Every structure is written in C-alpha cells, then in structure tokens.
Amino acid sequence: MHAAKLRGNAENQRGRAVESYRTVFEVIDMRSFSNLWYWIALAVVWSSASHWVLGVPWDLVQRAMRKGGQAEADFNDITRINVNRILYIADMSGLWLIGFASFFLTSILVLGWYFWIEFCQAIFMIAFPMSLVGGLSIRTARKVDASGIQGEDLYKKLRRQRLITQVIGMISIFVTSIWGMYLNLSVGALGS
C-alpha cells in the first residue's frame, strides 16, 4: 500500500514536470523565425559587429576624430594591438579555423535545407554573413599592418570596414526576414 502511494506521488511529480516543460515551450516558441528572441539576437549580433570594427569600439574612433591628442593616441594603440591580435590568430590557427568554420557552415546548411531543420536555417542566416565579416576583418587587418597607417588614413580604413559590415548586415537582415516571413506564412497556411 505504501509502495503504491509512493509510486502515485512519483507519477504526479513527473506529470507536473512534463506540464512545466510544455508550458515553457508554449511560451518560448522553439521555431526560430517566429521567436522574438531570435530576432533580438540577430539585432544584437549585427549591432555589435557594426560597433566593434577590428575590435575597436566605434565611439573611441569618433572621439579620436573629434578630439585628437590622447584620444587619437589611444585609438592608434588599441587599433595596433587588435590588428596584431587578429593577425596572430589568423597566422597561427587560420587554416584550422577555416576548416572548422567550413565544416560547421556546411553542416548547418545541409541540416537546414536538405533535412529542413528550421533552427539550423536560422543559425546559418547569422553565421554565414558573420563569416564574411570575419574574413573582411582579417583582410583589412593585413592592409593596416602592411601599410602602417595611423590617424586620418586609419579612420578612413575603419570607416570603410564599418560601412561594408553594415551593408552585409542590412542584406543579411533583409534576406533573413524575407525567408522568416515565407516560412511563417507557409506554416500558417499549412495549419489552416
């Protein structure tokens, strides 16, 4: 009798746990393109990519352009440090990073569009354009290092890098939103 009562309590607890999980998954829609958190994450990723140009915060670039002096010296120093850091990572483990990134992007591409896993599609829509920005950052770092530019020329180089990043971001957000709307409308049409 006591064992039956314990078994009944355990089943009730399992039932409550299942209901809790079900409630969480109803509140947090696990389909990526209809999930508000995905769109917030997408905005944060592109906002951060636009703000940190070669690892240098854009507000520091603006302050250095306006004030000069110590702000410009700090800007030149932090840019040199970040360029050296990016190039060190690219030179030491660049081939490994390219291999892992290619494997990862190919895997989520196949999982997303061949096996039709929406989460992988959503991750690809962020990861692929960010890999382009990463490659452009390495290219810009190599140019900055080779030319040894500072001051006004360096501002122009970082401004151009930021503009290219923003254009890639705008195209990425546009394509992602079109694809997300298509999926949400097609799922809605299937459900009715």
Side-chain angles (χ1 to χ4, degrees):
M1 179 115 151
H2 183 66
K5 188 176 180 182
L6 287 175
R7 205 173 313 120
N9 285 340
E11 287 176 12
N12 284 339
Q13 287 177 348
R14 254 184 268 131
R16 281 185 288 216
V18 168
E19 281 300 315
S20 298
Y21 284 121
R22 190 172 294 142
T23 302
V24 167
F25 285 115
E26 284 175 7
V27 172
I28 302 172
D29 187 5
M30 295 311 284
R31 288 185 25 245
S32 301
F33 293 109
S34 62
N35 189 336
L36 176 64
W37 293 107
Y38 174 74
W39 296 103
I40 291 172
L42 182 70
V44 167
V45 163
W46 285 110
S47 175
S48 297
S50 178
H51 180 70
W52 295 88
V53 182
L54 295 183
V56 179
W58 190 249
D59 60 305
L60 180 67
V61 176
Q62 290 177 319
R63 188 171 353 128
M65 285 190 296
R66 272 194 323 268
K67 294 184 179 178
Q70 185 60 43
E72 186 171 1
D74 291 345
F75 163 71
N76 288 327
D77 290 342
I78 196 168
T79 304
R80 180 183 46 77
I81 290 167
N82 282 321
V83 163
N84 289 340
R85 186 178 137 267
I86 290 168
L87 294 179
Y88 177 77
I89 292 169
D91 292 340
M92 294 305 293
S93 53
L95 290 176
W96 284 102
L97 289 174
I98 289 171
F100 284 128
S102 298
F103 173 77
F104 174 73
L105 289 172
T106 303
S107 298
I108 61 174
L109 179 71
V110 169
L111 287 171
W113 277 274
Y114 184 76
F115 292 104
W116 210 252
I117 299 173
E118 186 176 324
F119 180 74
C120 293
Q121 292 175 359
I123 295 299
F124 185 82
M125 294 287 204
I126 295 174
F128 177 70
M130 286 304 295
S131 68
L132 297 177
V133 170
L136 287 171
S137 295
I138 292 170
R139 191 183 87 178
T140 302
R142 288 205 188 284
K143 287 182 179 180
V144 168
D145 185 55
S147 63
I149 59 175
Q150 290 189 343
E152 188 62 36
D153 293 334
L154 189 54
Y155 299 145
K156 287 179 184 175
K157 190 65 82 177
L158 265 61
R159 191 179 301 125
R160 185 168 187 265
Q161 174 70 20
R162 183 173 193 245
L163 179 65
I164 293 170
T165 300
Q166 289 174 333
V167 168
I168 291 172
M170 286 188 297
I171 293 169
S172 170
I173 291 170
F174 178 75
V175 170
T176 302
S177 63
I178 294 296
W179 183 252
M181 284 189 284
Y182 167 75
L183 283 181
N184 287 334
L185 291 173
S186 65
V187 167
L190 292 174
S192 51

